[in-house]
PDB file of all heavy atoms in Angstrom:
ATOM      1  N   ASP A   1       0.814  -1.210   0.000  1.00 91.00           N
ATOM      2  CA  ASP A   1       0.000   0.000   0.000  1.00 91.00           C
ATOM      3  C   ASP A   1       0.847   1.260  -0.002  1.00 91.00           C
ATOM      4  O   ASP A   1       1.963   1.281   0.543  1.00 91.00           O
ATOM      5  CB  ASP A   1      -0.894   0.035   1.237  1.00 91.00           C
ATOM      6  CG  ASP A   1      -2.094  -0.869   1.105  1.00 91.00           C
ATOM      7  OD1 ASP A   1      -2.181  -1.606   0.108  1.00 91.00           O
ATOM      8  OD2 ASP A   1      -2.951  -0.821   1.998  1.00 91.00           O
ATOM      9  N   ALA A   2       0.299   2.313  -0.587  1.00 94.00           N
ATOM     10  CA  ALA A   2       0.824   3.645  -0.361  1.00 94.00           C
ATOM     11  C   ALA A   2       0.370   4.053   1.032  1.00 94.00           C
ATOM     12  O   ALA A   2      -0.785   3.835   1.392  1.00 94.00           O
ATOM     13  CB  ALA A   2       0.285   4.616  -1.396  1.00 94.00           C
ATOM     14  N   MET A   3       1.262   4.631   1.803  1.00 95.00           N
ATOM     15  CA  MET A   3       0.905   4.988   3.181  1.00 95.00           C
ATOM     16  C   MET A   3       1.398   6.397   3.488  1.00 95.00           C
ATOM     17  O   MET A   3       2.260   6.936   2.783  1.00 95.00           O
ATOM     18  CB  MET A   3       1.487   3.989   4.168  1.00 95.00           C
ATOM     19  CG  MET A   3       0.994   2.562   3.932  1.00 95.00           C
ATOM     20  SD  MET A   3       1.430   1.406   5.214  1.00 95.00           S
ATOM     21  CE  MET A   3       0.286   1.879   6.519  1.00 95.00           C
ATOM     22  N   ALA A   4       0.833   6.960   4.537  1.00 97.00           N
ATOM     23  CA  ALA A   4       1.199   8.335   4.874  1.00 97.00           C
ATOM     24  C   ALA A   4       0.909   8.637   6.334  1.00 97.00           C
ATOM     25  O   ALA A   4       0.161   7.922   6.998  1.00 97.00           O
ATOM     26  CB  ALA A   4       0.419   9.316   3.993  1.00 97.00           C
ATOM     27  N   TRP A   5       1.532   9.690   6.804  1.00 98.00           N
ATOM     28  CA  TRP A   5       1.229  10.286   8.105  1.00 98.00           C
ATOM     29  C   TRP A   5       0.607  11.661   7.858  1.00 98.00           C
ATOM     30  O   TRP A   5       1.159  12.480   7.130  1.00 98.00           O
ATOM     31  CB  TRP A   5       2.492  10.438   8.941  1.00 98.00           C
ATOM     32  CG  TRP A   5       3.023   9.135   9.452  1.00 98.00           C
ATOM     33  CD1 TRP A   5       4.003   8.374   8.900  1.00 98.00           C
ATOM     34  CD2 TRP A   5       2.601   8.455  10.630  1.00 98.00           C
ATOM     35  NE1 TRP A   5       4.212   7.247   9.643  1.00 98.00           N
ATOM     36  CE2 TRP A   5       3.358   7.278  10.740  1.00 98.00           C
ATOM     37  CE3 TRP A   5       1.662   8.723  11.632  1.00 98.00           C
ATOM     38  CZ2 TRP A   5       3.209   6.360  11.767  1.00 98.00           C
ATOM     39  CZ3 TRP A   5       1.504   7.823  12.668  1.00 98.00           C
ATOM     40  CH2 TRP A   5       2.279   6.650  12.729  1.00 98.00           C
ATOM     41  N   PHE A   6      -0.541  11.885   8.461  1.00 98.00           N
ATOM     42  CA  PHE A   6      -1.196  13.174   8.456  1.00 98.00           C
ATOM     43  C   PHE A   6      -1.194  13.716   9.884  1.00 98.00           C
ATOM     44  O   PHE A   6      -1.030  12.963  10.841  1.00 98.00           O
ATOM     45  CB  PHE A   6      -2.646  13.041   7.980  1.00 98.00           C
ATOM     46  CG  PHE A   6      -2.806  12.820   6.512  1.00 98.00           C
ATOM     47  CD1 PHE A   6      -2.519  11.586   5.940  1.00 98.00           C
ATOM     48  CD2 PHE A   6      -3.258  13.838   5.687  1.00 98.00           C
ATOM     49  CE1 PHE A   6      -2.671  11.372   4.569  1.00 98.00           C
ATOM     50  CE2 PHE A   6      -3.417  13.634   4.311  1.00 98.00           C
ATOM     51  CZ  PHE A   6      -3.128  12.405   3.768  1.00 98.00           C
ATOM     52  N   ARG A   7      -1.395  15.000  10.002  1.00 98.00           N
ATOM     53  CA  ARG A   7      -1.573  15.578  11.331  1.00 98.00           C
ATOM     54  C   ARG A   7      -2.645  16.648  11.276  1.00 98.00           C
ATOM     55  O   ARG A   7      -2.887  17.267  10.227  1.00 98.00           O
ATOM     56  CB  ARG A   7      -0.270  16.163  11.886  1.00 98.00           C
ATOM     57  CG  ARG A   7       0.240  17.414  11.180  1.00 98.00           C
ATOM     58  CD  ARG A   7       1.580  17.836  11.757  1.00 98.00           C
ATOM     59  NE  ARG A   7       2.107  19.038  11.113  1.00 98.00           N
ATOM     60  CZ  ARG A   7       3.329  19.509  11.312  1.00 98.00           C
ATOM     61  NH1 ARG A   7       4.166  18.878  12.147  1.00 98.00           N
ATOM     62  NH2 ARG A   7       3.723  20.612  10.696  1.00 98.00           N
ATOM     63  N   GLN A   8      -3.277  16.856  12.422  1.00 98.00           N
ATOM     64  CA  GLN A   8      -4.313  17.889  12.514  1.00 98.00           C
ATOM     65  C   GLN A   8      -4.186  18.592  13.851  1.00 98.00           C
ATOM     66  O   GLN A   8      -4.307  17.964  14.914  1.00 98.00           O
ATOM     67  CB  GLN A   8      -5.707  17.274  12.366  1.00 98.00           C
ATOM     68  CG  GLN A   8      -6.809  18.310  12.274  1.00 98.00           C
ATOM     69  CD  GLN A   8      -8.111  17.713  11.766  1.00 98.00           C
ATOM     70  OE1 GLN A   8      -8.346  16.516  11.849  1.00 98.00           O
ATOM     71  NE2 GLN A   8      -8.968  18.565  11.212  1.00 98.00           N
ATOM     72  N   ALA A   9      -3.923  19.883  13.773  1.00 96.00           N
ATOM     73  CA  ALA A   9      -3.862  20.719  14.958  1.00 96.00           C
ATOM     74  C   ALA A   9      -5.224  21.369  15.179  1.00 96.00           C
ATOM     75  O   ALA A   9      -6.018  21.490  14.228  1.00 96.00           O
ATOM     76  CB  ALA A   9      -2.792  21.788  14.790  1.00 96.00           C
ATOM     77  N   PRO A  10      -5.546  21.785  16.395  1.00 92.00           N
ATOM     78  CA  PRO A  10      -6.848  22.414  16.667  1.00 92.00           C
ATOM     79  C   PRO A  10      -7.110  23.602  15.752  1.00 92.00           C
ATOM     80  O   PRO A  10      -6.254  24.471  15.592  1.00 92.00           O
ATOM     81  CB  PRO A  10      -6.719  22.852  18.126  1.00 92.00           C
ATOM     82  CG  PRO A  10      -5.731  21.909  18.717  1.00 92.00           C
ATOM     83  CD  PRO A  10      -4.747  21.625  17.622  1.00 92.00           C
ATOM     84  N   GLY A  11      -8.268  23.595  15.125  1.00 94.00           N
ATOM     85  CA  GLY A  11      -8.654  24.694  14.255  1.00 94.00           C
ATOM     86  C   GLY A  11      -8.014  24.677  12.885  1.00 94.00           C
ATOM     87  O   GLY A  11      -8.210  25.614  12.096  1.00 94.00           O
ATOM     88  N   LYS A  12      -7.249  23.633  12.596  1.00 95.00           N
ATOM     89  CA  LYS A  12      -6.569  23.573  11.299  1.00 95.00           C
ATOM     90  C   LYS A  12      -7.019  22.322  10.528  1.00 95.00           C
ATOM     91  O   LYS A  12      -7.543  21.376  11.105  1.00 95.00           O
ATOM     92  CB  LYS A  12      -5.054  23.551  11.491  1.00 95.00           C
ATOM     93  CG  LYS A  12      -4.494  24.831  12.065  1.00 95.00           C
ATOM     94  CD  LYS A  12      -2.979  24.834  12.035  1.00 95.00           C
ATOM     95  CE  LYS A  12      -2.410  26.150  12.534  1.00 95.00           C
ATOM     96  NZ  LYS A  12      -0.921  26.177  12.467  1.00 95.00           N
ATOM     97  N   GLU A  13      -6.788  22.358   9.224  1.00 95.00           N
ATOM     98  CA  GLU A  13      -7.123  21.212   8.404  1.00 95.00           C
ATOM     99  C   GLU A  13      -6.094  20.094   8.577  1.00 95.00           C
ATOM    100  O   GLU A  13      -4.950  20.341   8.950  1.00 95.00           O
ATOM    101  CB  GLU A  13      -7.182  21.623   6.931  1.00 95.00           C
ATOM    102  CG  GLU A  13      -8.325  22.569   6.594  1.00 95.00           C
ATOM    103  CD  GLU A  13      -8.431  22.846   5.112  1.00 95.00           C
ATOM    104  OE1 GLU A  13      -7.535  22.423   4.361  1.00 95.00           O
ATOM    105  OE2 GLU A  13      -9.416  23.478   4.700  1.00 95.00           O
ATOM    106  N   ARG A  14      -6.539  18.873   8.291  1.00 96.00           N
ATOM    107  CA  ARG A  14      -5.619  17.739   8.333  1.00 96.00           C
ATOM    108  C   ARG A  14      -4.651  17.868   7.162  1.00 96.00           C
ATOM    109  O   ARG A  14      -5.072  18.068   6.030  1.00 96.00           O
ATOM    110  CB  ARG A  14      -6.397  16.434   8.270  1.00 96.00           C
ATOM    111  CG  ARG A  14      -5.584  15.202   8.579  1.00 96.00           C
ATOM    112  CD  ARG A  14      -6.463  13.960   8.690  1.00 96.00           C
ATOM    113  NE  ARG A  14      -7.412  14.051   9.790  1.00 96.00           N
ATOM    114  CZ  ARG A  14      -8.107  13.021  10.253  1.00 96.00           C
ATOM    115  NH1 ARG A  14      -7.939  11.814   9.708  1.00 96.00           N
ATOM    116  NH2 ARG A  14      -8.971  13.187  11.227  1.00 96.00           N
ATOM    117  N   GLU A  15      -3.354  17.756   7.462  1.00 97.00           N
ATOM    118  CA  GLU A  15      -2.339  17.905   6.424  1.00 97.00           C
ATOM    119  C   GLU A  15      -1.434  16.677   6.375  1.00 97.00           C
ATOM    120  O   GLU A  15      -1.148  16.061   7.402  1.00 97.00           O
ATOM    121  CB  GLU A  15      -1.491  19.153   6.673  1.00 97.00           C
ATOM    122  CG  GLU A  15      -0.692  19.126   7.962  1.00 97.00           C
ATOM    123  CD  GLU A  15       0.358  20.226   8.051  1.00 97.00           C
ATOM    124  OE1 GLU A  15       0.730  20.799   7.008  1.00 97.00           O
ATOM    125  OE2 GLU A  15       0.815  20.496   9.186  1.00 97.00           O
ATOM    126  N   CYS A  16      -0.970  16.372   5.173  1.00 98.00           N
ATOM    127  CA  CYS A  16      -0.038  15.276   4.988  1.00 98.00           C
ATOM    128  C   CYS A  16       1.366  15.768   5.313  1.00 98.00           C
ATOM    129  O   CYS A  16       1.836  16.748   4.729  1.00 98.00           O
ATOM    130  CB  CYS A  16      -0.087  14.759   3.560  1.00 98.00           C
ATOM    131  SG  CYS A  16       1.028  13.401   3.238  1.00 98.00           S
ATOM    132  N   VAL A  17       2.036  15.113   6.257  1.00 98.00           N
ATOM    133  CA  VAL A  17       3.394  15.517   6.589  1.00 98.00           C
ATOM    134  C   VAL A  17       4.432  14.611   5.946  1.00 98.00           C
ATOM    135  O   VAL A  17       5.554  15.046   5.673  1.00 98.00           O
ATOM    136  CB  VAL A  17       3.627  15.583   8.122  1.00 98.00           C
ATOM    137  CG1 VAL A  17       2.744  16.652   8.746  1.00 98.00           C
ATOM    138  CG2 VAL A  17       3.376  14.240   8.777  1.00 98.00           C
ATOM    139  N   ALA A  18       4.070  13.355   5.670  1.00 98.00           N
ATOM    140  CA  ALA A  18       5.002  12.430   5.036  1.00 98.00           C
ATOM    141  C   ALA A  18       4.229  11.303   4.380  1.00 98.00           C
ATOM    142  O   ALA A  18       3.185  10.892   4.883  1.00 98.00           O
ATOM    143  CB  ALA A  18       5.989  11.857   6.049  1.00 98.00           C
ATOM    144  N   ALA A  19       4.732  10.827   3.256  1.00 98.00           N
ATOM    145  CA  ALA A  19       4.083   9.728   2.553  1.00 98.00           C
ATOM    146  C   ALA A  19       5.151   8.827   1.948  1.00 98.00           C
ATOM    147  O   ALA A  19       6.268   9.264   1.670  1.00 98.00           O
ATOM    148  CB  ALA A  19       3.160  10.256   1.464  1.00 98.00           C
ATOM    149  N   ILE A  20       4.777   7.560   1.756  1.00 96.00           N
ATOM    150  CA  ILE A  20       5.715   6.597   1.181  1.00 96.00           C
ATOM    151  C   ILE A  20       4.968   5.729   0.188  1.00 96.00           C
ATOM    152  O   ILE A  20       3.797   5.387   0.386  1.00 96.00           O
ATOM    153  CB  ILE A  20       6.373   5.754   2.303  1.00 96.00           C
ATOM    154  CG1 ILE A  20       7.512   4.895   1.758  1.00 96.00           C
ATOM    155  CG2 ILE A  20       5.344   4.926   3.048  1.00 96.00           C
ATOM    156  CD1 ILE A  20       8.403   4.319   2.852  1.00 96.00           C
ATOM    157  N   SER A  21       5.636   5.389  -0.906  1.00 93.00           N
ATOM    158  CA  SER A  21       5.003   4.568  -1.931  1.00 93.00           C
ATOM    159  C   SER A  21       4.948   3.107  -1.485  1.00 93.00           C
ATOM    160  O   SER A  21       5.644   2.690  -0.567  1.00 93.00           O
ATOM    161  CB  SER A  21       5.797   4.678  -3.243  1.00 93.00           C
ATOM    162  OG  SER A  21       7.102   4.152  -3.071  1.00 93.00           O
ATOM    163  N   GLY A  22       4.114   2.339  -2.189  1.00 88.00           N
ATOM    164  CA  GLY A  22       4.008   0.920  -1.881  1.00 88.00           C
ATOM    165  C   GLY A  22       5.325   0.186  -2.051  1.00 88.00           C
ATOM    166  O   GLY A  22       5.619  -0.769  -1.330  1.00 88.00           O
ATOM    167  N   SER A  23       6.104   0.635  -3.011  1.00 85.00           N
ATOM    168  CA  SER A  23       7.408   0.012  -3.244  1.00 85.00           C
ATOM    169  C   SER A  23       8.424   0.418  -2.190  1.00 85.00           C
ATOM    170  O   SER A  23       9.482  -0.206  -2.065  1.00 85.00           O
ATOM    171  CB  SER A  23       7.926   0.429  -4.616  1.00 85.00           C
ATOM    172  OG  SER A  23       8.199   1.825  -4.643  1.00 85.00           O
ATOM    173  N   GLY A  24       8.116   1.492  -1.466  1.00 82.00           N
ATOM    174  CA  GLY A  24       9.055   2.008  -0.473  1.00 82.00           C
ATOM    175  C   GLY A  24      10.152   2.869  -1.063  1.00 82.00           C
ATOM    176  O   GLY A  24      10.954   3.456  -0.340  1.00 82.00           O
ATOM    177  N   GLY A  25      10.168   2.962  -2.393  1.00 87.00           N
ATOM    178  CA  GLY A  25      11.265   3.657  -3.042  1.00 87.00           C
ATOM    179  C   GLY A  25      11.087   5.153  -3.160  1.00 87.00           C
ATOM    180  O   GLY A  25      12.025   5.880  -3.481  1.00 87.00           O
ATOM    181  N   ARG A  26       9.869   5.630  -2.954  1.00 94.00           N
ATOM    182  CA  ARG A  26       9.610   7.066  -3.060  1.00 94.00           C
ATOM    183  C   ARG A  26       9.002   7.567  -1.772  1.00 94.00           C
ATOM    184  O   ARG A  26       8.195   6.896  -1.139  1.00 94.00           O
ATOM    185  CB  ARG A  26       8.651   7.347  -4.215  1.00 94.00           C
ATOM    186  CG  ARG A  26       9.195   7.074  -5.601  1.00 94.00           C
ATOM    187  CD  ARG A  26       8.175   7.510  -6.638  1.00 94.00           C
ATOM    188  NE  ARG A  26       7.966   8.956  -6.597  1.00 94.00           N
ATOM    189  CZ  ARG A  26       6.824   9.542  -6.965  1.00 94.00           C
ATOM    190  NH1 ARG A  26       5.812   8.822  -7.378  1.00 94.00           N
ATOM    191  NH2 ARG A  26       6.717  10.854  -6.906  1.00 94.00           N
ATOM    192  N   THR A  27       9.418   8.765  -1.381  1.00 97.00           N
ATOM    193  CA  THR A  27       8.873   9.396  -0.190  1.00 97.00           C
ATOM    194  C   THR A  27       8.556  10.855  -0.471  1.00 97.00           C
ATOM    195  O   THR A  27       9.093  11.451  -1.420  1.00 97.00           O
ATOM    196  CB  THR A  27       9.850   9.329   1.003  1.00 97.00           C
ATOM    197  OG1 THR A  27      11.107   9.916   0.609  1.00 97.00           O
ATOM    198  CG2 THR A  27      10.075   7.903   1.472  1.00 97.00           C
ATOM    199  N   TYR A  28       7.672  11.388   0.344  1.00 98.00           N
ATOM    200  CA  TYR A  28       7.288  12.809   0.259  1.00 98.00           C
ATOM    201  C   TYR A  28       7.320  13.369   1.661  1.00 98.00           C
ATOM    202  O   TYR A  28       6.953  12.687   2.621  1.00 98.00           O
ATOM    203  CB  TYR A  28       5.880  12.939  -0.311  1.00 98.00           C
ATOM    204  CG  TYR A  28       5.221  14.269   0.036  1.00 98.00           C
ATOM    205  CD1 TYR A  28       5.405  15.385  -0.766  1.00 98.00           C
ATOM    206  CD2 TYR A  28       4.439  14.395   1.188  1.00 98.00           C
ATOM    207  CE1 TYR A  28       4.815  16.597  -0.437  1.00 98.00           C
ATOM    208  CE2 TYR A  28       3.851  15.608   1.519  1.00 98.00           C
ATOM    209  CZ  TYR A  28       4.045  16.695   0.702  1.00 98.00           C
ATOM    210  OH  TYR A  28       3.471  17.889   1.041  1.00 98.00           O
ATOM    211  N   TYR A  29       7.776  14.633   1.786  1.00 98.00           N
ATOM    212  CA  TYR A  29       7.732  15.345   3.055  1.00 98.00           C
ATOM    213  C   TYR A  29       7.201  16.749   2.833  1.00 98.00           C
ATOM    214  O   TYR A  29       7.577  17.419   1.863  1.00 98.00           O
ATOM    215  CB  TYR A  29       9.127  15.422   3.683  1.00 98.00           C
ATOM    216  CG  TYR A  29       9.707  14.084   4.055  1.00 98.00           C
ATOM    217  CD1 TYR A  29      10.581  13.420   3.198  1.00 98.00           C
ATOM    218  CD2 TYR A  29       9.355  13.473   5.257  1.00 98.00           C
ATOM    219  CE1 TYR A  29      11.085  12.182   3.537  1.00 98.00           C
ATOM    220  CE2 TYR A  29       9.864  12.232   5.598  1.00 98.00           C
ATOM    221  CZ  TYR A  29      10.734  11.583   4.731  1.00 98.00           C
ATOM    222  OH  TYR A  29      11.233  10.356   5.072  1.00 98.00           O
ATOM    223  N   ALA A  30       6.352  17.183   3.720  1.00 98.00           N
ATOM    224  CA  ALA A  30       5.930  18.574   3.697  1.00 98.00           C
ATOM    225  C   ALA A  30       7.137  19.455   4.006  1.00 98.00           C
ATOM    226  O   ALA A  30       8.038  19.050   4.747  1.00 98.00           O
ATOM    227  CB  ALA A  30       4.836  18.803   4.743  1.00 98.00           C
ATOM    228  N   ASP A  31       7.143  20.638   3.432  1.00 98.00           N
ATOM    229  CA  ASP A  31       8.275  21.547   3.649  1.00 98.00           C
ATOM    230  C   ASP A  31       8.523  21.808   5.127  1.00 98.00           C
ATOM    231  O   ASP A  31       9.668  21.977   5.556  1.00 98.00           O
ATOM    232  CB  ASP A  31       8.025  22.875   2.929  1.00 98.00           C
ATOM    233  CG  ASP A  31       8.154  22.734   1.416  1.00 98.00           C
ATOM    234  OD1 ASP A  31       8.751  21.744   0.942  1.00 98.00           O
ATOM    235  OD2 ASP A  31       7.655  23.632   0.709  1.00 98.00           O
ATOM    236  N   SER A  32       7.457  21.840   5.897  1.00 97.00           N
ATOM    237  CA  SER A  32       7.572  22.173   7.318  1.00 97.00           C
ATOM    238  C   SER A  32       8.315  21.119   8.138  1.00 97.00           C
ATOM    239  O   SER A  32       8.780  21.404   9.236  1.00 97.00           O
ATOM    240  CB  SER A  32       6.195  22.406   7.930  1.00 97.00           C
ATOM    241  OG  SER A  32       5.388  21.252   7.750  1.00 97.00           O
ATOM    242  N   VAL A  33       8.433  19.890   7.592  1.00 98.00           N
ATOM    243  CA  VAL A  33       9.079  18.807   8.353  1.00 98.00           C
ATOM    244  C   VAL A  33      10.306  18.243   7.642  1.00 98.00           C
ATOM    245  O   VAL A  33      11.001  17.399   8.197  1.00 98.00           O
ATOM    246  CB  VAL A  33       8.094  17.664   8.660  1.00 98.00           C
ATOM    247  CG1 VAL A  33       6.848  18.208   9.342  1.00 98.00           C
ATOM    248  CG2 VAL A  33       7.740  16.869   7.419  1.00 98.00           C
ATOM    249  N   LYS A  34      10.558  18.726   6.431  1.00 98.00           N
ATOM    250  CA  LYS A  34      11.669  18.200   5.638  1.00 98.00           C
ATOM    251  C   LYS A  34      12.983  18.359   6.395  1.00 98.00           C
ATOM    252  O   LYS A  34      13.272  19.422   6.932  1.00 98.00           O
ATOM    253  CB  LYS A  34      11.727  18.929   4.301  1.00 98.00           C
ATOM    254  CG  LYS A  34      12.406  18.160   3.187  1.00 98.00           C
ATOM    255  CD  LYS A  34      12.184  18.857   1.846  1.00 98.00           C
ATOM    256  CE  LYS A  34      10.760  18.780   1.393  1.00 98.00           C
ATOM    257  NZ  LYS A  34      10.552  19.386   0.061  1.00 98.00           N
ATOM    258  N   GLY A  35      13.765  17.292   6.446  1.00 98.00           N
ATOM    259  CA  GLY A  35      15.044  17.319   7.147  1.00 98.00           C
ATOM    260  C   GLY A  35      14.933  16.975   8.626  1.00 98.00           C
ATOM    261  O   GLY A  35      15.954  16.773   9.298  1.00 98.00           O
ATOM    262  N   ARG A  36      13.702  16.913   9.151  1.00 98.00           N
ATOM    263  CA  ARG A  36      13.500  16.598  10.575  1.00 98.00           C
ATOM    264  C   ARG A  36      12.740  15.291  10.774  1.00 98.00           C
ATOM    265  O   ARG A  36      12.968  14.605  11.772  1.00 98.00           O
ATOM    266  CB  ARG A  36      12.721  17.734  11.248  1.00 98.00           C
ATOM    267  CG  ARG A  36      13.418  19.086  11.185  1.00 98.00           C
ATOM    268  CD  ARG A  36      12.678  20.117  12.035  1.00 98.00           C
ATOM    269  NE  ARG A  36      11.312  20.368  11.576  1.00 98.00           N
ATOM    270  CZ  ARG A  36      10.231  20.178  12.319  1.00 98.00           C
ATOM    271  NH1 ARG A  36      10.338  19.712  13.561  1.00 98.00           N
ATOM    272  NH2 ARG A  36       9.029  20.451  11.833  1.00 98.00           N
ATOM    273  N   PHE A  37      11.845  14.963   9.863  1.00 98.00           N
ATOM    274  CA  PHE A  37      11.037  13.753   9.978  1.00 98.00           C
ATOM    275  C   PHE A  37      11.496  12.733   8.942  1.00 98.00           C
ATOM    276  O   PHE A  37      11.913  13.096   7.838  1.00 98.00           O
ATOM    277  CB  PHE A  37       9.557  14.055   9.731  1.00 98.00           C
ATOM    278  CG  PHE A  37       8.875  14.833  10.824  1.00 98.00           C
ATOM    279  CD1 PHE A  37       9.584  15.468  11.842  1.00 98.00           C
ATOM    280  CD2 PHE A  37       7.488  14.963  10.814  1.00 98.00           C
ATOM    281  CE1 PHE A  37       8.936  16.194  12.832  1.00 98.00           C
ATOM    282  CE2 PHE A  37       6.821  15.679  11.792  1.00 98.00           C
ATOM    283  CZ  PHE A  37       7.539  16.297  12.809  1.00 98.00           C
ATOM    284  N   THR A  38      11.376  11.440   9.294  1.00 98.00           N
ATOM    285  CA  THR A  38      11.706  10.365   8.366  1.00 98.00           C
ATOM    286  C   THR A  38      10.615   9.300   8.424  1.00 98.00           C
ATOM    287  O   THR A  38      10.322   8.769   9.496  1.00 98.00           O
ATOM    288  CB  THR A  38      13.049   9.730   8.719  1.00 98.00           C
ATOM    289  OG1 THR A  38      14.078  10.731   8.736  1.00 98.00           O
ATOM    290  CG2 THR A  38      13.424   8.655   7.692  1.00 98.00           C
TER     291      THR A  38
END
């Protein structure tokens, strides 16, 4: 499966912070967490 981590702070929309492809070979990070989250 393609999988992801989302987060939602009070009063804010749910946002995707990181995602990974089913193959595991591709990843995505939101700019706000890039370099800090894996």
Side-chain angles (χ1 to χ4, degrees):
D1 282 6
M3 300 190 75
W5 288 96
F6 286 75
R7 69 184 180 189
Q8 188 165 22
K12 294 189 177 182
E13 293 186 352
R14 191 172 297 193
E15 63 168 341
C16 180
V17 296
I20 189 166
S21 64
S23 66
R26 292 185 65 208
T27 56
Y28 159 87
Y29 296 96
D31 288 342
S32 58
V33 307
K34 204 170 291 183
R36 300 188 298 121
F37 289 13
T38 303

